[in-house]
């Protein structure tokens, strides 16, 4: 891979496709049993212990205000393709619940366009940019804004 290329992990959230920089992704796991955190922000699904480290887990669907994709198997919160994407944000690891992880894209960095979104004053957007062809655009998520309470 050249320095002009970026590798992006494609995530499905509520029937839409989003991307995150693959450099931030440490691992992709089936959803683990979570421990709820009292009085935590609504988007914090809970915490999980991974290899001795307590990791907060954010429900990306809830954070973006979208409904989960259709349930693939019967039962509460049991979805065959649902995944926890563990990412590194500075010194912290954070898990992100998504409906599915579908593939890795290689794109020319020049193809990444800034997000054409207007934002309410005092709020951070959850989208950094856009990549893809017309009719198949994917939004690049700002992982830091997903874990920031005032975003």
């Amino acid at each position: 891979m050249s320095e002009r290329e970026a590798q992006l992990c494609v995530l499905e959230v509520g029937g839409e496709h989003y991307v995150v920089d693959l450099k931030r992704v440490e691992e992709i796991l089936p959803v683990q049993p979570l421990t709820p955190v009292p009085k935590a922000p609504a988007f914090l699904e809970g915490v999980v212990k991974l290899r001795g480290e307590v990791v907060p887990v954010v429900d990306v669907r809830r954070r973006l205000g979208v409904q989960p994709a259709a349930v693939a198997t019967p039962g509460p919160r049991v979805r065959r393709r649902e995944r926890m994407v563990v990412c590194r944000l500075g010194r912290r690891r954070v898990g992100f619940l998504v409906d599915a992880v579908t593939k890795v894209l290689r794109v020319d960095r020049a193809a990444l366009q800034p997000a054409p979104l207007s934002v309410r004053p005092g709020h951070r957007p959850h989208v950094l940019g856009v990549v893809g062809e017309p009719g198949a655009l994917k939004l690049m998520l700002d992982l830091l804004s997903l874990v920031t309470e005032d975003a």
Side-chain angles (χ1 to χ4, degrees):
M1 184 176 86
S2 74
E3 288 190 23
R4 290 183 41 191
E5 280 186 320
Q7 288 188 359
L8 305 173
C9 183
V10 180
L11 313 172
E12 187 176 316
V13 179
E16 297 293 328
H17 290 96
Y18 297 87
V19 294
V20 296
D21 191 334
L22 191 61
K23 288 180 183 178
R24 287 206 181 263
V25 177
E26 287 193 347
E27 54 189 324
I28 300 167
L29 303 168
V31 177
Q32 311 289 310
L34 302 174
T35 301
V37 178
K39 298 184 181 179
F43 60 85
L44 184 67
E45 190 74 15
V47 294
V48 65
K49 196 164 191 176
L50 294 175
R51 282 171 273 304
E53 183 180 355
V54 176
V55 176
V57 179
V58 172
D59 186 333
V60 177
R61 295 165 296 236
R62 189 175 297 156
R63 191 64 170 132
L64 296 177
V66 299
Q67 295 296 318
V71 174
T73 57
R77 289 202 45 89
V78 178
R79 294 178 189 90
R80 196 174 312 151
R81 295 175 41 192
E82 187 177 51
R83 293 290 180 258
M84 181 172 62
V85 180
V86 180
C87 297
R88 176 74 55 186
L89 298 179
R91 294 183 182 192
R92 298 219 29 155
R93 295 171 72 205
V94 179
F96 295 93
L97 293 182
V98 299
D99 293 323
V101 176
T102 59
K103 61 183 169 181
V104 172
L105 286 179
R106 282 188 173 191
V107 299
D108 191 310
R109 288 191 186 279
L112 296 170
Q113 301 295 313
L117 301 175
S118 61
V119 181
R120 294 185 314 208
H123 288 76
R124 294 183 59 171
H126 297 303
V127 176
L128 289 172
V130 180
V131 66
E133 300 299 319
L137 292 175
K138 294 168 183 57
L139 301 175
M140 181 173 233
L141 291 174
D142 179 353
L143 296 176
L144 189 57
S145 82
L146 292 176
V147 300
T148 305
E149 196 167 358
D150 64 345

